[in-house]
Amino acid sequence: MKRYNQNNRSKTLFLRLSGFVLAAIVLAGCTKDFKKYNTDQTGISNANLDITSVFKPLQHELFHNYQTAQNLSADGFSGYMMSPTPFKAAYDLNYFLIDGWDSNGFNDMYTYIMAPVNKIAASGARTAHPDLWAVALIVKVEAMHRVTDKFGPIPYSKVGTSLVSTPYDSQHSVYNQFFLQLDTAVNNLQAFVAANPGKTPFQNYDLIFNGDYTKWIKFANSLRLRLAMHIVKIDPATAKLQGEKALSAPGGLMSTPADDAAIMVTGGTSDLYMITHDWGDNRLNATMGSYLVGYKDPRTSIYAQPAADPAVAGTYTGIRIGAALASKNDYEDYASLNTNTTFIPTKPEQLMCAAESWFLKAEAALRGWAGAGDAQANYEQGVKVSMQQWGANIGLYLSDAVSTQAPYVDPKNSANNSPAVSSITIKWDPNASNEQKLERIMTQKWLAMFPEGQEAWTEFRRTGYPKLFTVVNNKSNGTIDTQIQIRRLNYPQNEYSTNGTAVRAAVQLLGGPDNAGTRLWWDVNKGNF
Amino acid sequence: MRKPLQLSCFLVCIAASTYAASPVMTVNGNWSGSPVIAGKQQLKTIQRPVKGTVRDSNGATLIGVSVRVKGTTNGTQTDVNGQFTLNCNTGDVLVFSYIGYSSQEATVGTAETINITLTPSNDQLQQVVVTALGIRRSEKSLTYSAQQINGDELTRAKSDNLINNLSGKVAGLTIAPSASGVGGSAKVVLRGNKSFSGTNQPLYVVDGIPMTNGSNSNGQPNSPYGGSTSVDGGDGISNLNPDDVESISVLKGAAASALYGSQGANGVILITTKKGKAGKAQITFNSSAMASGVAYKPEFQNSYGRTTAKSNDSWGTSAAGQDNLGQFFQTGYNWTNSINLSAGSELAQTYVSYANTHATGVEPGNKLDRNNFNLRETAKFLDQKLTVDGSINYINQQIDNSPALGLYFNPLTGLYLFPRGADITQYKNQYLLGDQTGYARQNWDVSEDIQQNPWWVVNRNPNYSIRNRVLMNGSVKYDFTDWLNLQVRGSLDRTADSYEQDLYSGTQSTLSKANGQFILNNQVVEQKYGDALLTFRVPNTTTVKVDGLVGASITDSRRTGTTLGGGQGLSTPDLFIAQNTIVSGTNSNAATLAENHSQLQSIYGNVNLSYNDWVFLNVTGRNDWSSNLAFTPNGSYFYPSAGLSVLLSHVVKLPSAITYAKIRGNYAEVGNSVPQYVTNPVNYLDNTGSVVLSTVAPFGTLKPEKTKTWEIGADLRFFNDDLSISANYYKSNTYNQFVQVAPSPTTGYSVGYVNAGNVQNSGFEFVVGYNVIHNSNFKWNTSFNGSRNVNKVIDVDSKDGINQFTLTNNNNTNYKSILATGGSYGDIYGYTVKRDAQGRILLNADGSPQTNNGFNYIGNPNPKFQLGWANSFNYKNFNLNLLVDGRFGGQVLSLTQAIMDQYGVSKVTGDARASGGATVNGVNATTGTPVTNVDAKTWYTSIGGRQGISEMYMYSATTVRLREASLGYTFPLNSKGVKSLRLAVVGRNLLYFYKKAPYDPEMTMSTGNGLSGVDIFTQPATRNIGLNLNVTF
């Protein structure tokens, strides 16, 4: 009997004690803290977000996945660069397009530019910080014109409106939106500068112009001129309208190297340095070498680094696009980019140089646009500004009426050899035809815009200049004509699986099959004049 | 919703109060004592209560042992603590009987206590099985299959990860050791892979408490390149000292593990550790020394040298090859010494052990040092009603130079690809050019991201994984009556990991900075666990017996840590301290690891019913609340199971040859944990201090994965138990898989999640044991275990139109691991050739093959059938054990071979050149002319390489090997000091009876879900031979 009681008593005490501790915890709530536990305390919630802090990545990510998004495609197609690395037997540089590479140039711009810009809009910046909103718009236009100029119709106006499907806009519509958005951006910034002279609230978040809004205005105006020129063949009226708007803009165009738009390196090492120097995956293109050498261009040793390979030692022999590459060290020691003094780890990554706007003005003058000035003066100023930008001694360059592109000789494989494809000289010839003048302008613009291959490829497609060596091996299975060269990139395969209806409709807008031989909207197969 | 929650809280808090409660119990003790004894003395002349405890030979108490006065119906059973009380007279003979054990008799004398140790009736120790939550049950009452492995089997031929010792011994268990040298992890899968994104490894439970099994902050690699922070740092299970393990129970099916609810989907491996034994003081010393060597080497050609003096390939003119591998690989050693001391009285037992493991790998510099300290104390108070059990484990482990797997930081790439005919000795003797600076310091004539001087990698890219782990367990159990007790447990498992890699100035420029780089990642993983368990057995029942338990637990896991790395490398070359690292501008090269915090709260219960000891019904239920499900509408999930077993041999008249026959069946639903934070993604700072906006779509409807499974089986014994057969058939379907999907980036999101999918695993297992010979001099016991699992991905995410899920992306190689609807887990996708209707390969004019677009299915690495065959021979004092195991079916990819072919170093490329070209069954695609011979260089440089045609490098994964062998001798001793002495010669992985792949297909690059069935310069498997000494004092 007693034993039973004792058991009972000890049990009671035990439970009572447990109950006491229990009560303390129940009062605190057991799953109440689950939301706190399930929130990563090392992150920043949307509620605690300072919207200015997203601007640095926004600018930096313009070159996201630079190697696959641009270097292994546009930088090669533009005649600037070529990889010595046999990544695969068939890949973009011999016209077999690798979806996993090319899709980065599409997907990343939505993920890293469009989505954040939408969040900036959602934060109320449009009215609360019209100046920041203007910068966001300029970055957006800069980013997305690179996308539409690669692929054609793209999702633009409807981005972020649906989790399931995003319709594509025609390229015509996209360009019209670009112009409108640049209007807003420039207006906002003009108003801000007028109201707050000398103020640079954006300085700590600006990787391009150190917070100087007057330079952002010049960049926006120059970008408008660039975009206007892109569509000059398909829509000359709009091109002229927008072009003249840019030429007469009160904020002006980019005119000296101080206006250059280039992104400061934040990741420690510039993409070009990493790809070229650290990884050894990038070398000078044969076309670039042949023009630099043929023109005895003062920028040669600034842009490029001579070959170390015994077969071509000391020369600026680059690699021909589409060359057969058996093993990496076959061409690794051919001429490269100058990573010793020019394309160093901290070299800002160029979006647009002032020289380009002078060449755009030169072309505008050829086309008779109001406010463009004199074609020759603009052309020569473009060359001078470029020499200034790179610290090259211009010497008698502008009066050289003899030098032309050099032929290309590859002692390792004669299949890569090519005679010069261009006979255009440097010195301005007022008596030349408009076509010849354009070739001269475009060739010098191309030399000046180095190393930004995306715009160079766009302008080559639009005008056919400068004349580029064709690919040695074309593995496109007949979708790309070797002589006409590559016109666009394929839509990412993931769009077909995740946004299928929209992308199939976009192919209708494209007006041709979704392959790299189809011309874009502005890429009209007719003469330049 | 709220009520069960509060009950959960209630029980959980009991757990939390473990230590608060225990001192009070001691006070309670003062109330009992003398009055009771006085009462007993008064009853001396008539029937009096005799009490005692029944244990097995390992000292563990046995529940439900029948205790009867011989020749009467007077009897009882032992309670959940193995204790009994029975009224009897002096001179009565008590009969103790328990299934699977020899009956034993004891005469009642004047003593009040009779303690009995039952010995097993035959060699099958599996008849009392440790089940979920550490509860021992007689095998006959189990409604599911569980296989128990004795501690001896784990230590017979030691491996540096104790779990590898289960290989070939458990039906339905597949173990793939990481090819990452000494101290590496192991991938353990029971009854097939089930989960797309969650873990597929079982839950490890040590003495009833779930244990963390994590690696350091590196996790597991999932890129063909590997990299500086993806080397394997070892898993949690490998930290344990195998000599501390009493037994391992493998609960394969969900019904067996259903009490673990949302953690039970992949089965449970229950580890029971040793504790002190009552009435015995003993010191055991174990020493083992093993030597290991590479079990095979890739085959090289020895006739052709490099193309030019500087080229990195071997497609040139004739040159005599050399044995470069012999200069690199070394003999590895493993010395394990352990000592354990145990002593105890009926009231308190102590167990202390220390183990030291020192192992070196077959790659120079690879080294493991591990120290395990263990103290366990068990004691009884309050008239033996209160049992307190506490243990502290401290583990200190350092692994140096875990070999990197894949293409980066791997010494084997440079070693294998080194041009044939050139002399590698100079690079071995001098890997550092002292007169150079920056990248030029490395003495190696090939500049390529994927290869460096092997001795440079070993000496100048070292890595160190340091782990300090403390495991503390405490439990208090109180017996209210002989049919009801409450146990409260708490544990702390704290692992501090540090991973360091020093990249010296001179490391290849893709991989490091000119002045070198310093990488240091620290993390602490802490798991706190508490539970309360009320165990009951309805008293005074005869035909229908009911027992069961209710319990609650709380598990809180948290990872915190900091990483340092990247940036601009070092200021002063080769000085590897944090303040010497440099960054640019406002950047940082330090990062706080995303904190992983999750908490699981559970209540559970279990009822067992039996009728006349021949029908057993088992029902369990568990409800889980997980913090990972916060921000979803439903944060609570219920997991039920039910099982039935019938002891046919008790009710049906069976032929006399059949001594035991049981059939069983069960159904269960269990879960698999979901990752934290996906219901509430946040934005993160990048290294410039800027916010990178999250592009992850919040998953507001996240549900845990659910596995529904059923199983039927039978256990039969024949000829006085000499032959035993156990067989199971099971089928499981896993739904609500956590699937990461990539919406169109134009939506603004790059990552989204859905619950979808259905992965089915079905298969059978059998275990057959036979005592072939057993006489006093010679015993031969043989056993087979076999299993087949068929895995089928029935659906990925058809409702969203998605039928593929990528486990490992190709990253510019020709290997991809994809789960596709209609396929099976681990399917390998790669590049394939185009063929005509006759199966001939379509060739271009130059002889290179034409390829199909994209990635196509080329094979699955999982075995179709596994068989283990164990033999044990005893002759007088000699003992011989042999374990042969085979894995049949499956295909694996060797990128090592593909890349060696591309570089022209492999034997096949030499043979093809010698015979005037590669033999192919091809046809010129344009002319239609058959082609049987293609220039060797053209052929192998187009099919070989990391981007080559992977279809050409698929090999049969079938292997049959002599897994373990040991020959031991036990010295006959009559010494007072030394009680026993046993010496054995042991070996592991001694012989491949069959192996067609150029590597050991069992080795894996990752113990995660990806990178299965592919070899990318992994360290060869090793063959191990050594000596084992076991002394008991």
Side-chain angles (χ1 to χ4, degrees), chain A residues 250-290:
Chain A
L253 296 170
M254 298 160 75
S255 62
T256 70
D259 297 332
D260 288 350
I263 307 162
M264 275 183 353
V265 174
T266 55
T269 305
S270 73
D271 290 308
L272 269 181
Y273 183 82
M274 188 149 52
I275 296 167
T276 310
H277 179 271
D278 290 355
W279 299 350
D281 282 344
N282 186 43
R283 294 293 176 260
L284 199 67
N285 190 296
T287 307
M288 192 66 191
S290 69

Side-chain angles (χ1 to χ4, degrees), chain A residues 3 6-7 9-11 13-14 17-18 21-22 25-26 30-31 34-35 37-46 49 53-54 56-57 87-88 96 101 106-107 110-111 115-116 119 155 159-160 162-164 166 266-269 277-279 327 329 332-333 494-495 498-499, chain B residues 5 9-10 13-14 17 24-25 28 31-32 36 310-312 383 385 439 478 480 486 509-510 513 568 584 587 592-595 597 599 601 625-628 630-631 676-677 679-680 682-685 688 690-691 693-695 742 744-750 812 831 853 947:
Chain A
R3 189 190 183 90
Q6 277 170 357
N7 276 341
R9 276 175 63 189
S10 55
K11 183 165 71 180
L13 195 80
F14 186 91
L17 245 159
S18 306
V21 183
L22 148 82
I25 296 179
V26 166
C30 263
T31 60
F34 273 14
K35 284 190 174 174
Y37 297 159
N38 205 33
T39 301
D40 190 345
Q41 305 297 322
T42 64
I44 296 152
S45 67
N46 286 336
L49 194 62
S53 65
V54 310
K56 274 189 188 173
F87 292 101
K88 288 194 68 174
F96 183 88
W101 297 357
F106 184 96
N107 296 341
Y110 289 95
T111 305
K119 280 204 179 174
V159 172
S162 160
L163 272 177
V164 184
T166 313
T266 55
T269 305
H277 179 271
D278 290 355
W279 299 350
S327 102
N329 50 17
E332 199 177 8
D333 290 337
N494 65 290
E495 278 296 284
T498 58
N499 197 18
Chain B
L5 185 61
C9 296
F10 169 82
C13 298
I14 294 174
S17 65
V24 181
M25 305 310 291
N28 283 352
W31 302 341
S32 59
V36 175
K310 238 184 126 273
S311 71
N312 61 358
D383 199 18
K385 289 199 167 298
Y439 299 127
Y478 187 77
F480 300 109
L486 176 67
S509 60
T510 307
K513 302 289 177 191
Q568 292 304 294
S584 65
N587 294 1
T592 299
L593 277 180
E595 183 189 78
H597 187 187
Q599 192 174 92
Q601 299 178 6
W625 290 262
S626 166
S627 68
N628 297 354
F631 303 101
Q676 57 272 71
Y677 306 148
T679 59
N680 180 34
V682 293
N683 309 296
Y684 292 96
L685 281 187
T688 69
S690 303
V691 173
L693 292 168
S694 165
T695 55
S744 167
T746 64
T747 59
Y749 290 111
S750 59
N812 297 328
Y831 294 129
N853 275 338
Q947 296 254 25

Side-chain angles (χ1 to χ4, degrees), chain B residues 376-395:
Chain B
R376 185 165 180 181
E377 194 65 41
T378 321
K380 296 197 168 200
F381 303 93
L382 302 183
D383 199 18
Q384 302 202 15
K385 289 199 167 298
L386 180 74
T387 309
V388 178
D389 187 352
S391 71
I392 297 179
N393 265 277
Y394 172 69
I395 298 144

Side-chain angles (χ1 to χ4, degrees), chain B residues 344-358:
Chain B
S345 67
E346 198 54 35
L347 289 176
Q349 300 94 38
T350 302
Y351 176 86
V352 183
S353 76
Y354 168 72
N356 174 277
T357 307
H358 174 77

Side-chain angles (χ1 to χ4, degrees), chain A residues 61 64-65 69 99-116 144 147 150-151 154-155 159 168 490-499, chain B residues 695 742-750:
Chain A
E61 302 298 1
H64 197 87
N65 280 326
D99 179 63
W101 297 357
D102 299 332
S103 58
N104 288 335
F106 184 96
N107 296 341
D108 293 344
M109 291 302 103
Y110 289 95
T111 305
Y112 296 103
I113 305 291
M114 289 297 278
M144 299 314 288
V147 180
K150 282 189 182 101
F151 295 94
I154 55 167
V159 172
Y168 284 56
N490 301 337
Y491 284 126
Q493 284 304 304
N494 65 290
E495 278 296 284
Y496 284 93
S497 56
T498 58
N499 197 18
Chain B
T695 55
S744 167
T746 64
T747 59
Y749 290 111
S750 59

Side-chain angles (χ1 to χ4, degrees), chain B residues 92-112:
Chain B
D92 284 351
V93 175
L94 298 184
V95 180
F96 297 84
S97 55
Y98 196 51
I99 198 142
Y101 287 77
S102 304
S103 293
Q104 204 167 316
E105 295 182 356
T107 308
V108 177
T110 51
E112 289 156 7

